[in-house]
Amino acid sequence: SSELTQDPAVSVALGQTFRITCQGDSLRSYYASWYQQKPGQAPVLVIYGKNNRPSGIPDRFSGSSSGNTASLTISGAQAEDEADYYCSSRDSSDNHDVFGTGTKVTVL
Amino acid sequence: QVQLQESGPRLVKPSETLSLTCTVSGGSISSYYWSWIRQPPGKGLEYIGSIYSSGSTNYNPSLKSRVSISIDMSKNQFSLKLTSLTAADTAMYYCARQRWEYSNSGSAYYFDYWGQGILVTVSS
């Protein structure tokens, strides 16, 4: 079964543009989706498919993919972007889904 | 606006079976996948399994021997059963709607609506 690996933590300055990555073999076959989770809250979908944002998600969130790596870019970090971020995709060898290890984003 | 709400016991004894229900409102349960996801305290998200409105299921291989997901179209509900509980099953349990899309450039599965979660503690 596939694993999705993310950097554990990243610190960014207010207004800085930064990228979170997610690596795994399944990403060669399926797009990743990305979720933002703030303390005490359920995850919220921020990016899915090639680069799609659900209604209500700011356009500073964007997604991309290359080979076995998916990326979530936040252009101009805001204080409210401080959260845990998880990627997810369908496992390429079995009919189930897998989540990444998660990245804790701190906005300074 | 689709809303999901988990319900069930918040405290379960070791070796017992956990039964949770997710009630879907604001939309039909037909023609979608419906999923269970959990998160142990202070840890990451773990996919448990999904069921399509037709009744077909997918499970996390690491939990497959203990998990069963069912659906009740008449009540707009789907349910989770997890057997042989241990302390390691203590977690926030979320239900979610899963969608998929296909295009020339690739395929994607994603969870677009989530419940608020229910914290289940396994303890004697």
Side-chain angles (χ1 to χ4, degrees), chain B:
Chain B
Q1 178 79 348
V2 174
Q3 293 184 312
L4 295 86
Q5 179 68 58
E6 302 89 349
S7 59
R10 284 158 172 75
L11 179 62
V12 189
K13 290 181 168 54
S15 80
E16 292 189 343
T17 295
L18 171 66
S19 295
L20 296 176
T21 296
C22 182
T23 301
V24 180
S25 59
S28 174
I29 204 168
S30 298
S31 303
Y32 290 102
Y33 280 99
W34 301 94
S35 304
W36 288 98
I37 296 149
R38 71 180 183 178
Q39 184 173 35
K43 296 188 177 181
L45 300 169
E46 180 180 33
Y47 171 82
I48 299 172
S50 300
I51 188 165
Y52 189 62
S53 51
S54 66
S56 65
T57 54
N58 297 318
Y59 297 127
N60 184 329
S62 69
L63 298 170
K64 191 172 184 177
S65 63
R66 299 195 293 130
V67 172
S68 175
I69 298 175
S70 59
I71 194 165
D72 187 333
M73 304 284 287
S74 67
K75 295 181 179 178
N76 245 33
Q77 293 177 335
F78 63 105
S79 299
L80 168 72
K81 287 191 188 302
L82 182 64
T83 64
S84 305
L85 294 173
T86 70
D89 295 309
T90 292
M92 183 73 79
Y93 285 76
Y94 296 101
C95 59
R97 189 178 78 171
Q98 185 177 31
R99 300 192 66 176
W100 74 102
E101 60 180 32
Y102 303 97
S103 67
N104 290 336
S105 60
S107 303
Y109 289 79
Y110 55 95
F111 306 96
D112 60 348
Y113 288 100
W114 296 63
Q116 65 185 23
I118 182 170
L119 180 61
V120 176
T121 301
V122 180
S123 175
S124 55

